[in-house]
Amino acid sequence: MSGRALPPHARGMRIGLLGGSFNPPHHGHRAISLFALKRLRLDRVWWLVSPGNPLKDTAGLTDLGLRMAAARCLAADPRITVSALEAEIRTRYSVDTIEILKRRAQGVHFVWIMGADNLAQFHRWRDWRRIAALVPIAVVDRVPGGLQGMASPAARALSRFRLPESRAGRLAEQQAPAWTFLTGLKLTLSSTALRSADGSWARPTEGKE
């Protein structure tokens, strides 16, 4: 894979990576991205729309093209790039995606962005310690996952590498492992809840860019 397969980037840029199935994308994804852009002083956030989460049942997963189209409609900000990179480079696990990005976009300061609910089960991810060693991580508080996330095995294991929230703007240029916990953005939206409310979420976007 050449660097041309990646979204636009340049040496020295500070780019947040928000991975997920985006099934469906929702305003919480956008709110987290805008919050991270400001608090972490990022240049861009890439939404890495996954072909499928290895930790979840993919039987009800909406077509990737529909999820991409819906995500682009929702993002509505030139600093947010929606990418199907993982489908293009055929990676299934975040650690593999990050390793390829680090090799192919040298000089870019990547930050992995996750909600506190993901931190709670981060220790179940493939090679999660390797992920923490590859890129700084920003954890955004989520209701009700904040306390559970901070008490998780991963949070305890990485506690000595935690950066005070007051220094979050410097996280992107920190040598990994490094992470911070961002408060002040209270979100209750989730893709799971939206699917439960309306399993036909994808139909209005069908056939539209």
Side-chain angles (χ1 to χ4, degrees):
M1 181 199 74
S2 70
R4 291 190 299 273
L6 304 182
H9 62 280
R11 181 176 291 271
M13 289 183 71
R14 301 150 67 102
I15 298 176
L17 304 172
L18 184 64
S21 60
F22 292 84
N23 187 48
H26 55 71
H27 288 287
H29 293 126
R30 188 174 189 273
I32 286 175
S33 300
L34 297 178
F35 186 66
L37 279 161
K38 180 178 180 180
R39 294 291 300 277
L40 302 176
R41 299 178 186 173
L42 301 175
D43 299 301
R44 299 284 189 277
V45 171
W46 292 356
W47 288 2
L48 303 179
V49 183
S50 170
N53 186 332
L55 294 180
K56 295 181 179 179
D57 181 8
T58 59
L61 194 61
T62 302
D63 176 77
L64 177 61
L66 292 175
R67 287 182 282 132
M68 290 284 295
R72 288 192 181 104
C73 288
L74 179 68
D77 192 295
R79 297 169 298 173
I80 300 175
T81 300
V82 179
S83 173
L85 178 67
E86 291 186 318
E88 294 171 9
I89 63 179
R90 299 183 182 181
T91 54
R92 188 164 178 239
Y93 295 97
S94 297
V95 64
D96 298 326
T97 302
I98 293 169
E99 285 184 331
I100 289 175
L101 286 173
K102 293 281 287 183
R103 288 199 305 267
R104 300 297 183 179
Q106 295 185 22
V108 173
H109 303 289
F110 288 112
V111 175
W112 189 262
I113 302 169
M114 66 167 68
D117 52 333
N118 278 321
L119 179 62
Q121 47 103 44
F122 187 43
H123 61 285
R124 296 177 55 209
W125 292 25
R126 168 75 64 89
D127 293 336
W128 66 272
R129 292 180 185 272
R130 175 66 176 155
I131 294 174
L134 284 168
V135 289
I137 298 171
V139 180
V140 181
D141 194 13
R142 291 282 304 270
V143 177
L147 293 176
Q148 186 179 8
M150 292 302 289
S152 68
R156 294 197 303 268
L158 298 171
S159 60
R160 66 191 178 100
F161 302 111
R162 183 180 174 189
L163 199 69
E165 189 174 359
S166 60
R167 296 176 59 197
R170 301 171 61 182
L171 179 68
E173 296 178 353
Q174 297 296 307
Q175 182 175 347
W179 68 288
T180 194
F181 189 82
L182 300 178
T183 60
L185 181 68
K186 302 299 184 182
L187 290 172
T188 56
L189 279 174
S190 74
S191 295
T192 301
L194 289 175
R195 288 195 304 274
S196 298
D198 181 7
S200 62
W201 72 268
R203 285 202 291 268
T205 68
E206 192 166 2
K208 296 182 179 180
E209 190 61 37

